[in-house]
Amino acid sequence: MSVDRSVTFTGIKFENPFLLSSAPPTESESNILRAFEGGWGGVVTKTIGLHPVVNVYGAKAKFMRTGADDSHVSMKKRPGAALHSSWNWELISDKTLEWWAPRIRRIKEAFPDRVLIASIMAGSGNDKELKHWQELAEVAQGEGADGLELNFSCPHMDRRDMGSNIGKDQGLCSVVTEAVKEVAKVPVWCKLTPATADIVVEAAACFRGGADAIVSSNTFPSLPPIDPETLEFEINVDGFVSSGGLGGPAILPLSLAKMAQLTKAFPDKSFSGIGGVSDFSQAISYFLLGCGTVQVCTAAVLDQAVGPTVIKKLLAGLDQFLEAHAATDGWKRIEDFRGARRDRIVLQSEIRRPAAAEYHSGYENVEGYAAPSADDVAVRA
Ligand SMILES: Cc1cc2nc3c(=O)[nH]c(=O)nc-3n(C[C@H](O)[C@H](O)[C@H](O)COP(=O)(O)O)c2cc1C
């Protein structure tokens, strides 16, 4: 049976709903071409700014793994250890807008039916900075980008008016989105930081500014562990480290919580989910919460830099899911089950409690809890 993998998201037609997120897999023309050859429905370019950036010495990203027996989380590779997360302090693209412009055009000419979203970033402190956003937007769309993703989420920007510092300020979220929407002829997505008290506030501000979709999550602010032997951070330059971003499997539940807040608050708006996806078994959670597309970074980085195996697994998983549910639930495409579990997240007080006779003070036989003491039993008797 042939299945329908296509989605229309913010008016853009995708042959499948899986994108490489803005990160190393989308930092070059050759990577993006390989990604499309591999089958990705879309890419979000590595974030493009107006001014060249210089990254720190040494590794810009590393991966943490954990052992089955000791739960030790470390960047040191150990046999049998499983991936826990990625950690990075990489800045936006170190290539200029002039470098990107012809490449965006060439990529779109080579793959006109695949989706290229240009991720862009500038400051927000004054009108000149807002004009930078507009310039980036106009050049990218002029070269054929299908949409724009505004980076309000990079967790390691020192400047107060950039990256996640925009995403932490609802006023700036609105103002920048509005400035881009003034010139945008293509859909505008805002990628928000998960590092705020209530992401619904910043999302509402983006929607007020005219955003067509919210993207979440970028990486979570974090530090690498300190090596217990050397007493140095596992990634450092001259012994120093700064806050970086955590991605990969460890952030899946955190990112889902952010997404649930968003999709529940704005059930009729568009959302693209990111965080901890490596195959369909994770992507399904984002779709069931209401996302129309899903993006991937860490898993793709670790799979030949652009994730050819990851996208094959995502597509095979989606196909199998649709085939299995077509007969039982009548689900023939993503739209048929998108958001189907959004209403299952409720207040704690709305969750059913056992009747008095069945209540064991929470001393069920569950992992992590000791058996009830004689005292507890006496209290219940
Ligand atoms: C090395 C690295 C560089 C990244 N660079 C960017 C970037 O330039 N722009 C951006 O919006 N997100 C960037 N991200 C964040 C990813 O796009 C993604 O939101 C995050 O890694 C969570 O997805 P994952 O769990 O699949 O890794 C970067 C992530 C990593 C690991």
Side-chain angles (χ1 to χ4, degrees), residues 36-273:
F36 284 153
E37 279 157 20
W40 290 96
V43 295
V44 183
T45 66
K46 175 79 190 162
T47 300
I48 308 166
L50 273 191
H51 306 295
V53 299
V54 179
N55 278 291
V56 298
Y57 267 109
K60 293 178 282 184
K62 279 201 172 185
F63 303 92
M64 292 194 250
R65 292 180 170 81
T66 186
D69 301 327
D70 58 8
S71 308
H72 179 55
V73 175
S74 169
M75 290 176 174
K76 287 184 196 152
K77 279 194 175 163
R78 288 169 298 151
L83 182 67
H84 172 274
S85 53
S86 61
W87 187 89
N88 90 90
W89 53 358
E90 177 177 297
L91 299 175
I92 63 172
S93 174
D94 51 14
K95 307 292 192 305
T96 61
L97 180 61
E98 294 68 43
W99 185 92
W100 273 101
R103 287 167 177 82
I104 292 174
R105 174 153 303 280
R106 284 203 296 266
I107 294 164
K108 277 305 296 180
E109 279 166 6
F111 285 94
D113 298 334
R114 302 297 174 87
V115 177
L116 184 146
I117 307 292
S119 170
I120 57 174
M121 182 202 271
S124 55
N126 52 45
D127 283 353
K128 196 171 149 209
E129 293 287 0
L130 294 181
K131 292 224 158 48
H132 288 164
W133 283 98
Q134 293 180 326
E135 183 181 345
L136 289 159
E138 282 177 315
V139 171
Q141 72 185 7
E143 297 295 336
D146 300 290
L148 302 165
E149 188 178 275
L150 314 188
N151 184 336
F152 295 168
S153 51
C154 178
H156 29 264
M157 307 291 306
D158 288 344
R159 271 180 62 168
R160 296 297 308 155
D161 68 334
M162 264 195 169
S164 62
N165 292 327
I166 297 183
K168 288 175 188 166
D169 182 322
Q170 53 167 318
L172 293 180
C173 286
S174 270
V175 167
V176 174
T177 310
E178 211 174 311
V180 174
K181 283 295 283 188
E182 266 174 32
V183 300
K185 298 188 177 75
V186 293
V188 173
W189 307 356
C190 296
K191 185 170 177 182
L192 288 179
T193 175
T196 65
D198 184 3
I199 197 167
V200 170
V201 171
E202 293 85 32
C206 294
F207 287 133
R208 278 199 300 280
D212 298 283
I214 300 294
V215 181
S216 176
S217 286
N218 203 316
T219 48
F220 286 68
S222 56
L223 284 177
I226 295 177
D227 184 319
E229 278 158 27
T230 64
L231 304 188
E232 297 291 348
F233 286 98
E234 286 193 348
I235 184 167
N236 70 76
V237 177
D238 306 328
F240 293 99
V241 70
S242 64
S243 178
L246 194 77
I251 72 165
L252 175 73
L254 306 174
S255 183
L256 289 178
K258 293 286 169 187
M259 191 47 77
Q261 277 182 278
L262 290 165
T263 59
K264 281 185 71 70
F266 307 103
D268 300 326
K269 298 284 191 186
S270 298
F271 295 94
S272 188

Side-chain angles (χ1 to χ4, degrees), residues 54 88 101 112 239 276 278 302 341 367 371:
V54 179
N88 90 90
S278 59
L302 288 170
R341 291 293 175 268
E367 188 179 18

Side-chain angles (χ1 to χ4, degrees), residues 359-366 369-370 380:
Y359 188 55
H360 306 302
S361 304
Y363 288 107
E364 312 297 334
N365 188 15
V366 288
Y369 285 83
R380 276 187 280 121

